[in-house]
Amino acid sequence: MLKADVLVVGGGPAGRSLAAETAERGLRTLLVDPTPDAPWRVTYGCWVRELPVALPPSAVAAVVRGRAIALSPHDLGWDYAVLDVAGLRAHLDSRLERSGATVLAGRAVDVVAPGTVALADGSRIEAGIVVDAGGRRQPLRSASTRRRPAAEQTAYGVVVDESQAAALVAAGTALFMDWRRDHGEEGWPTFLYAVPLGGGSVLLEETSLARRPGLPLPVLQRRLFARLAHHGIAPQSTAPVERVVFPVDSPLHRTPGVLGFGAAAPLVHPASGFNLAATLGLAPAVADAVASHLAAGPEAALAAADATIWPRA
């Protein structure tokens, strides 16, 4: 049986950031993910004022002024950062390597006893602290937890050259939300999210903010291309696309003896869907709580880490 001080399940930004932080504090840290080397195919953004100070410039693709359009345009007054996904991944991977954290390919399936996690291949890992950072699926969530159908944010996007996107979003700006019905459809409201990705590319994405159940992707795809046609934009058939589906009202992670972190906590903002800035910002404080209380026992460390994520007023 493998043993560690901290077992982190999930190799996304949440899992990688927390695993690096705990390992840097001298804790034996094991990160488990089914496909730890798989690329990330999502777009991350946040307000600049929420960016962690330690994040290097290589992890930021663009910083732009945020705008929104309802009945008329509005300058939101805050700069918006679009992260460079490859740069963020490289930064977190280098921290994992330097810290001495161990990365293991495997799929965690159950908590069989306090501090003991079973993997799909039949092996088990024992750890002082178990962290579920497996995203919206919460892979270590107790099977007895009842869940109603989730309210979801869904989106369908296409990546185009900034010269094509200029009809909707000027260089150096981001169209955070465009609620105009340029897609020509009645019914559930959706908006266009248009942000630069760096390197002369722009993501144009039709988004349903929150709906139970989520608005189907084919509806969003149809609306997106109708909206773009309205503005004279015709993406190439080979243009990269992005598909987004995630819950915005996941329940608190209540599996006994397990700390939920990142989207699994859940740290997803129920109005915007944001969670990355909060997750990266909390990782050092959560690692501090674990490192300073683990000697007193797993329960003390878990309670301290949970109180860091969800402070009681």
Side-chain angles (χ1 to χ4, degrees):
M1 179 184 294
L2 292 173
K3 295 187 177 182
D5 295 320
V6 179
L7 168 62
V8 178
V9 174
R16 276 174 156 80
S17 61
L18 186 57
E21 294 286 353
T22 56
E24 287 170 357
R25 285 155 178 77
L27 300 177
R28 293 175 301 160
T29 300
L30 179 61
L31 174 71
V32 175
D33 186 87
T35 53
D37 297 324
W40 297 342
R41 303 188 185 281
V42 293
T43 301
Y44 295 113
C46 66
W47 302 115
V48 169
R49 63 187 181 186
E50 296 178 343
L51 281 173
V53 175
L55 204 63
S58 60
V60 179
V63 174
V64 290
R65 198 68 172 173
R67 296 173 61 248
I69 301 176
L71 297 177
S72 59
H74 300 272
D75 185 338
L76 299 179
W78 313 301
D79 286 337
Y80 186 68
V82 181
L83 298 189
D84 184 304
V85 177
L88 175 64
R89 174 68 175 269
H91 166 64
L92 294 176
D93 283 350
S94 66
R95 289 189 60 199
L96 282 174
E97 184 175 355
R98 292 196 309 269
S99 68
T102 300
V103 179
L104 175 68
R107 184 166 64 87
V109 294
D110 195 16
V111 180
V112 295
T116 303
V117 173
L119 303 187
D121 64 4
S123 61
R124 296 186 176 187
I125 301 173
E126 186 178 281
I129 291 292
V130 176
V131 179
D132 187 343
R136 60 187 175 89
R137 293 180 179 83
Q138 298 178 331
L140 298 184
R141 177 175 56 87
S142 173
S144 62
T145 302
R146 293 184 179 181
R147 300 183 67 180
R148 61 177 177 170
E152 296 174 318
Q153 183 171 135
T154 54
Y156 185 93
V158 62
V159 178
V160 303
D161 186 82
E162 62 183 1
S163 61
Q164 280 187 291
L168 275 167
V169 55
T173 66
L175 190 51
F176 191 61
M177 292 179 175
D178 183 349
W179 290 99
R180 294 175 296 180
R181 293 183 181 271
D182 292 341
H183 48 69
E185 295 189 17
E186 297 298 324
W188 190 262
T190 59
F191 63 88
L192 179 72
Y193 171 72
V195 295
L197 301 177
S201 297
V202 175
L203 172 66
L204 303 175
E205 194 161 75
E206 194 74 25
T207 305
S208 169
L209 191 58
R211 184 179 186 272
R212 190 192 317 276
L215 197 66
L217 293 181
V219 174
L220 292 163
Q221 180 182 10
R222 182 179 69 239
R223 288 189 179 187
L224 173 66
F225 284 102
R227 183 190 295 273
L228 298 186
H230 177 81
H231 289 275
I233 300 173
Q236 296 181 353
S237 59
T238 56
V241 300
E242 178 174 277
R243 298 173 178 86
V244 176
V245 179
F246 64 84
V248 292
D249 66 343
S250 296
L252 287 174
H253 204 302
R254 299 189 182 279
T255 303
V258 176
L259 177 71
F261 191 64
L267 289 173
V268 177
H269 194 290
S272 68
F274 286 5
N275 84 85
L276 184 66
T279 295
L280 296 180
L282 277 171
V286 172
D288 282 340
V290 171
S292 59
H293 289 81
L294 193 55
E299 290 187 5
L302 187 64
D306 184 72
T308 302
I309 298 173
W310 305 113
R312 273 55 172 180

